[in-house]
Amino acid sequence: MHRGKGMKFVGDSRIPAVRKPNIPKDYSEYPGKTEVFWPNFLLKEWLVGSVFLVGFLSLTVAHPSPLERIADPTDTTYIPLPDWYFLFLYQLLKYSYASGPYTVIGAIVMPGLAFAALLLAPFLDRGPERRPWKRPVATGMMLLALASIVYLTWEAVVTHDWKKAAEQGKIRAEVEIDTNAEGYKIAQANTCISCHGQNLSGGAGPSLIGTGLTPEEIAKIAKEGKGSMPGGIFKGTDEELKKMAEFIAGLKAE
């Protein structure tokens, strides 16, 4: 054996004798686990996005946005309804422990705790297991939150008066109201505005525009009431009643 043949000398045993280039393995060395980003993976993403976009546009055509009448700040009977993804919070605020004097609990504290738990989840649940049945605490919390959201959303949908909501949000014909007219001021003084809206286009009570009633019929309803409207609301004189009835009878939609 020749001197030095087959032997390698290094100055530090921690340094490998043969250095390997720092090149990551090709994806082909992991069959069935990876794929090319371009164009394979990106093409799949585009296809899924296109299907979702077409489906979403089809829904917007089949079910147009439910538009309502122009907001009336004087209509205190209007009941607003949030979008479907906030219905569970809307329902939560109906319960006694999360409304009234405890509104802060239902509106800030409880959602804040849920958001904080979701934010801290990666730091609190650091176990190596990925199977749900091996992570009972995280899985249990997730199922509890999901069940609560589904239940509260369902309750909000079931208990809401959709017929009344459709009626109060119905787009009605409006006319230019002369708020300086004597008939309008008489109606305003007798609290007609609070039920029929500032523009008399409806609120808690029906619209007074284009009723098709004569001044005598309107005066009779104002005095005696009709349906859910009780009698005796009008407190003015007969002359004021006549002026108000004539004013309302003259309101016609264009």
Side-chain angles (χ1 to χ4, degrees):
M1 181 176 181
H2 296 287
R3 184 176 179 179
K5 187 177 181 181
M7 300 180 65
K8 296 179 180 179
F9 300 94
V10 295
D12 193 328
S13 61
R14 293 172 296 178
I15 300 175
V18 179
R19 288 184 175 275
K20 296 181 179 180
N22 188 21
I23 301 176
K25 293 183 178 181
D26 189 77
Y27 73 94
S28 60
E29 298 184 33
Y30 301 92
K33 296 184 179 180
T34 60
E35 63 179 326
V36 183
F37 178 77
W38 171 266
N40 298 16
F41 180 78
L42 200 56
L43 181 60
K44 291 180 181 179
E45 292 288 304
W46 285 347
L47 287 175
V48 173
S50 300
V51 171
F52 175 80
L53 180 61
V54 170
F56 180 76
L57 292 177
S58 300
L59 286 175
T60 59
V61 172
H63 302 280
S65 300
L67 300 178
E68 294 187 353
R69 60 186 174 87
I70 299 176
D72 184 2
T74 63
D75 183 8
T76 57
T77 62
Y78 181 83
I79 302 175
L81 185 70
D83 291 316
W84 64 269
Y85 42 83
F86 281 132
L87 281 178
F88 69 99
L89 288 176
Y90 171 73
Q91 180 65 21
L92 181 65
L93 293 176
K94 294 180 182 179
Y95 299 123
S96 58
Y97 56 82
S99 61
Y102 307 108
T103 301
V104 175
I105 297 177
I108 298 177
V109 176
M110 297 178 72
L113 290 175
F115 180 77
L118 184 64
L119 189 66
L120 297 175
F123 304 98
L124 299 176
D125 183 29
R126 303 179 63 182
E129 289 290 343
R130 300 182 64 183
R131 290 169 290 186
W133 55 88
K134 292 288 186 178
R135 303 166 60 188
V137 177
T139 304
M141 294 294 290
M142 181 197 69
L143 292 177
L144 178 62
L146 183 62
S148 300
I149 292 174
V150 171
Y151 172 76
L152 290 173
T153 303
W154 176 263
E155 281 293 307
V157 172
V158 171
T159 57
H160 187 69
D161 191 344
W162 294 99
K163 185 177 180 180
K164 183 178 179 181
E167 182 63 27
Q168 69 179 3
K170 184 184 295 183
I171 299 177
R172 301 181 177 90
E174 294 186 4
V175 297
E176 193 69 27
I177 302 293
D178 183 8
T179 56
N180 294 319
E182 188 175 0
Y184 181 86
K185 292 182 178 179
I186 294 172
Q188 189 176 35
N190 286 273
T191 66
C192 300
I193 305 300
S194 60
C195 290
H196 297 281
Q198 187 174 10
N199 293 324
L200 302 178
S201 57
S207 173
L208 298 181
I209 298 174
T211 59
L213 301 175
T214 63
E216 291 75 19
E217 292 173 329
I218 295 174
K220 182 179 179 181
I221 294 174
K223 271 288 188 181
E224 301 176 4
K226 181 180 179 180
S228 59
M229 175 183 172
I233 292 182
F234 187 83
K235 304 297 184 183
T237 63
D238 292 340
E239 184 181 355
E240 290 176 335
L241 178 61
K242 181 180 178 181
K243 291 180 179 179
M244 186 188 74
E246 290 175 350
F247 172 78
I248 294 174
L251 298 176
K252 299 186 185 298
E254 298 179 356

